Amino acid sequence: MSVPESQYLSPVWRDGLFKGRVVFVTGGAGTICSMQTRALVRLGANACIVGRSEGKTEDAAKEIAKVRPGAKVIGIGGCDVRKMESLQAAADRCARELGGIDFVIAGAAGNFIVSLDGMSPNAFKSVMDIDVLGTFNTIKATIPHLLKSSSPRIIYVSATFHYTGMPMQAHVSAAKAAIDSLMASVALEYGPRGVQSNVIAPGAIENTEGAARLLNSDEDVQKAYAASIPSGRLGTVRDVADATVFLFCEAGTYINGQVIPVDGAAWRRQGASTMGGDKSMEYPNYLLSTEPPKGVKDTRKNKL
């Protein structure tokens, strides 16, 4: 489906900004990561996106390639970031077919709303494996290629829940805190070799699965939540894509080892408050109920 350029890229960026560059993206068919990739390709980069769904990933690659005549975008489906050999093969193919890897976006992630009481060990492990092990594997698979680039840069798509803590998001908070830590380790260990390593932490981004899940897809709830954000609105995929362009372009050369929230300062008001602005999820009432809130998963096989 064709997407107007104004939805994923501000008009301030110069055409050809990333000419000759190659970006490797995990979770590249997702709503946010696909738009990050689209922006980079529009500005001259070629790309390789990977994901578990073959059809979805390949279709997304074809659509992204349309934003610029002559663009090369590879879609590699059936790639599980939890499996090093799968990711290594994808990174090697990207470098072989596109001539190298200059930029990496580690965006593969998993999430659902669940209380600690209702979360099974397997559910917790699943998110940790996708987010944390997947990010580690992405680093391992791409670093040898990045070190051959004249401008090696990595962005990790994280979140803000762990800054304050967030009910129903303990698994994601733990995973994203680990990702932020991995980012810092890469900056320290590979910064002297030219690698820039930074986190972008989106807040609630409109028209995404994540926002729909956290805000229950209710228009009134979303409006109430947007009103509580200091900047007065939900984020957009363009906000995230523009931050990505900035960090990857020459203007971001001296930014390394940083966590950059793209959330309109929403995280400064989060924590133990009303979940997503939904009145039925007012703190602490929904946590004291004997029944899980509507729409909240309970992944335990044997409930007490």
Side-chain angles (χ1 to χ4, degrees), residues 19-288:
K19 184 178 180 180
R21 299 298 186 186
V22 175
V23 58
F24 180 86
V25 187
T26 66
T31 308
I32 291 176
C33 290
S34 66
M35 293 302 175
Q36 291 173 286
T37 309
R38 195 179 294 255
L40 299 173
V41 172
R42 168 63 183 82
L43 296 175
N46 292 320
C48 176
I49 64 172
V50 304
R52 294 186 69 181
S53 170
E54 293 187 11
K56 182 179 179 181
T57 304
E58 292 168 5
D59 288 346
K62 291 176 183 177
E63 287 299 316
I64 292 170
K66 295 177 182 178
V67 302
R68 176 174 56 83
K72 297 178 181 178
V73 182
I74 301 170
I76 303 177
C79 181
D80 188 342
V81 296
R82 297 171 295 184
K83 298 179 179 179
M84 184 62 196
E85 63 276 12
S86 178
L87 203 47
Q88 187 69 68
D92 291 348
R93 178 183 166 188
C94 174
R96 183 172 62 252
E97 296 187 18
L98 298 181
I101 297 177
D102 301 287
F103 307 145
V104 172
I105 297 174
N111 191 7
F112 45 87
I113 300 174
V114 64
S115 66
L116 277 168
D117 183 57
M119 189 181 341
S120 70
N122 282 339
F124 182 84
K125 183 177 184 298
S126 177
V127 171
M128 294 297 288
D129 283 353
I130 295 170
D131 287 38
V132 184
L133 180 60
T135 297
F136 173 80
N137 287 342
T138 300
I139 295 165
K140 293 287 287 185
T142 59
I143 274 290
H145 301 294
L146 284 169
L147 291 175
K148 298 175 184 178
S149 170
S150 61
S151 185
R153 305 186 185 189
I154 307 177
I155 286 174
Y156 316 81
V157 181
S158 187
T160 66
F161 301 137
H162 54 293
Y163 302 172
T164 58
M166 177 67 75
M168 307 289 176
Q169 292 287 276
H171 49 326
V172 180
S173 296
K176 298 307 187 184
I179 288 171
D180 289 5
S181 182
L182 281 170
M183 172 278 293
S185 294
V186 171
L188 288 168
E189 294 191 27
Y190 291 100
R193 301 174 70 178
V195 177
Q196 287 174 246
S197 171
N198 294 290
V199 155
I200 286 178
I205 304 298
E206 65 182 15
N207 300 320
T208 61
E209 182 181 348
R213 184 183 295 116
L214 290 171
L215 302 178
N216 298 323
S217 300
D218 185 287
E219 186 176 345
D220 290 336
V221 169
Q222 293 197 22
K223 286 182 179 179
Y225 180 71
S228 75
I229 297 172
S231 290
R233 64 174 176 86
L234 297 182
T236 67
V237 290
R238 191 175 83 169
D239 293 324
V240 180
D242 280 338
T244 303
V245 172
F246 170 66
L247 288 174
F248 281 162
C249 79
E250 288 306 301
T253 299
Y254 202 53
I255 298 174
N256 200 6
Q258 301 302 311
V259 175
I260 302 178
V262 180
D263 76 335
W267 76 266
R268 294 190 177 277
R269 301 198 66 231
Q270 74 183 15
S273 59
T274 301
M275 186 73 172
D278 186 344
K279 292 296 184 181
S280 70
M281 295 282 281
E282 287 186 337
Y283 182 88
N285 298 339
Y286 69 98
L287 296 172
L288 298 175

